[in-house]
Amino acid sequence: MVQRDPIFSPPVSLSKISEIESALGESIVGKAEVLRLALACLLARGHLLIEDVPGVGKTTLAQALARSVRSSFHRLQFTSDMLPSDVLGVTIYNAHTEEFEFKQGPIFTNFLLADEINRATPKTQSALLEAMNEQQVTIDGRSYELRQPFMVIATQNPVEHHGTYPLPESQLDRFLMRIRIGYPDIAAEREIVRQGQTSNDAGHAVISGEELTHLQDAVHQVQVDEALVDYMLAIVEKTRTHDSLAMGVSPRGSQALFRAAQALAAVEGREYAIPDDVKRMVVPVFAHRVAVNARAAMAQRSAEMAEKILGEILTLVDVPL
């Protein structure tokens, strides 16, 4: 029998994944599942959207995730008066050299924290589209490659809050996952109160950018059985035909679920994906990609209704044995 080399081999082992998870746990208390989802997003080379009410730790989680890697990090506070050039950079004329020079914006980093992204206008939000999809930006007809690894971690307040601009579908689709942190339980909140921790204390580096890239490459080798792929596609097809959904999941969403399931398997210490990986990833990967029709939206907040519908779809699709 031919012996295969394990996909998570030196110089980076599975222990590094555990180290990152432990580092995140020092910043966010009592939210193990949320941390696992965020870590899976990182390993899947995805972008992460964290949506919740103010004060539950959105920015803390984003900073802890970025700071767990020894690489460049930039936090950008989005506001209603921000311009696309504030994100991408600007070309200026240098009187000394008599030439135009491009001054890089904060997007030229490994990790960009787009804090309260939905407080910026749609024009400024769209400045991230090319970067998130193609790992480059185009300024004045010239394209600039972004650093690798590259990840956008965005936070946003619920769209019902004042002074927010809902992200368009094309922008939402660039995020591999959307997660919520939620309120802590009493025991966890007691610990938070005792610690008195702020977002400035969030996280420390446990892995280099090169090691992270190696882990991300390894994640793409996690085995996914064809029966599991059929299971994913059956779920996707249900989103396209469900009576309460005006828009189902696109092929990009199908790819996202595949990558997310691989990454979650890696976080769980496995070199193969199982149906439970798919089930756990359906809501964070699909909920922001589907559109609830007007009739269903009247009964409940759209985001919550989308999650409820996806839960129903999971009960309708046979799980592979």
Side-chain angles (χ1 to χ4, degrees), residues 122 165 183 220:
Y165 299 84
Y183 293 114
H220 284 288

Side-chain angles (χ1 to χ4, degrees), residues 25-31 55-57 60 181-198:
E26 295 173 5
S27 302
I28 301 294
V29 179
K31 296 292 179 180
V56 295
T60 301
I181 297 177
Y183 293 114
D185 58 31
I186 295 298
E189 190 157 7
R190 182 186 301 277
E191 186 175 345
I192 293 170
V193 171
R194 287 289 188 185
Q195 288 178 346
Q197 191 178 51
T198 67

Side-chain angles (χ1 to χ4, degrees), residues 224-284:
V224 182
D225 191 81
E226 282 303 316
L228 204 54
V229 176
D230 291 339
Y231 179 52
M232 296 181 196
L233 296 180
I235 295 171
V236 169
E237 182 59 27
K238 286 288 185 182
T239 69
R240 298 170 182 172
T241 58
H242 198 283
D243 291 339
S244 296
L245 293 179
M247 182 179 70
V249 174
S250 68
R252 179 185 286 159
S254 304
Q255 291 178 319
L257 181 61
F258 185 91
R259 287 161 46 208
Q262 286 181 308
L264 184 58
V267 173
E268 298 283 344
R270 286 180 275 103
E271 297 185 357
Y272 56 89
I274 60 175
D276 192 52
D277 296 327
V278 177
K279 288 182 180 179
R280 287 166 64 185
M281 284 300 182
V282 163
V283 169

Side-chain angles (χ1 to χ4, degrees), residues 104-144:
Q104 293 184 351
I107 201 167
F108 287 87
T109 185
N110 294 115
F111 289 89
L112 177 67
L113 168 52
D115 214 3
E116 296 188 302
I117 188 173
N118 60 339
R119 290 205 178 278
T121 61
K123 181 177 181 180
T124 301
Q125 292 174 11
S126 66
L128 294 170
L129 287 175
E130 183 184 11
M132 295 174 69
N133 195 53
E134 301 174 33
Q135 313 295 303
Q136 68 174 30
V137 296
T138 302
I139 310 291
D140 296 331
R142 181 177 176 182
S143 295
Y144 300 86

Side-chain angles (χ1 to χ4, degrees), residues 8 23 53 70 96 108 135 190 204 215 225 286 288 313:
F8 294 102
V53 296
R70 285 188 293 274
H96 296 290
F108 287 87
Q135 313 295 303
R190 182 186 301 277
H204 62 276
L215 271 180
D225 191 81
F286 284 173
H288 61 291
I313 288 174

Side-chain angles (χ1 to χ4, degrees), residues 45-249:
R45 286 194 172 96
H47 304 292
L48 180 64
L49 178 62
I50 309 171
E51 177 185 292
D52 219 319
V53 296
V56 295
K58 300 188 301 295
T59 302
T60 301
L61 173 57
Q63 289 185 332
L65 188 64
R67 289 172 177 172
S68 66
V69 184
R70 285 188 293 274
S71 56
S72 57
F73 165 70
H74 196 103
R75 174 182 175 177
L76 190 58
Q77 186 69 45
F78 278 63
T79 57
S80 59
D81 60 349
M82 180 177 286
L83 300 174
S85 58
D86 295 325
V87 179
L88 303 178
V90 63
T91 301
I92 61 173
Y93 181 73
N94 188 324
H96 296 290
T97 61
E98 297 184 346
E99 294 179 347
F100 285 95
E101 296 179 354
F102 175 63
K103 298 295 183 181
Q104 293 184 351
I107 201 167
F108 287 87
T109 185
N110 294 115
F111 289 89
L112 177 67
L113 168 52
D115 214 3
E116 296 188 302
I117 188 173
N118 60 339
R119 290 205 178 278
T121 61
K123 181 177 181 180
T124 301
Q125 292 174 11
S126 66
L128 294 170
L129 287 175
E130 183 184 11
M132 295 174 69
N133 195 53
E134 301 174 33
Q135 313 295 303
Q136 68 174 30
V137 296
T138 302
I139 310 291
D140 296 331
R142 181 177 176 182
S143 295
Y144 300 86
E145 294 291 327
L146 296 175
R147 302 175 190 175
Q148 297 299 320
F150 174 70
M151 182 180 190
V152 174
I153 309 170
T155 70
Q156 71 169 6
N157 298 318
V159 294
E160 289 84 357
H161 281 222
H162 293 295
T164 60
Y165 299 84
L167 298 180
E169 287 83 0
S170 58
Q171 179 77 68
L172 287 170
D173 201 38
R174 263 55 173 194
F175 288 99
L176 182 75
M177 295 184 204
R178 183 189 67 186
I179 63 175
R180 293 190 180 91
I181 297 177
Y183 293 114
D185 58 31
I186 295 298
E189 190 157 7
R190 182 186 301 277
E191 186 175 345
I192 293 170
V193 171
R194 287 289 188 185
Q195 288 178 346
Q197 191 178 51
T198 67
S199 59
N200 292 331
D201 306 318
H204 62 276
V206 297
I207 190 173
S208 68
E210 184 179 356
E211 288 173 323
L212 173 61
T213 300
H214 180 87
L215 271 180
Q216 291 172 332
D217 290 340
V219 163
H220 284 288
Q221 300 176 47
V222 169
Q223 299 173 40
V224 182
D225 191 81
E226 282 303 316
L228 204 54
V229 176
D230 291 339
Y231 179 52
M232 296 181 196
L233 296 180
I235 295 171
V236 169
E237 182 59 27
K238 286 288 185 182
T239 69
R240 298 170 182 172
T241 58
H242 198 283
D243 291 339
S244 296
L245 293 179
M247 182 179 70
V249 174

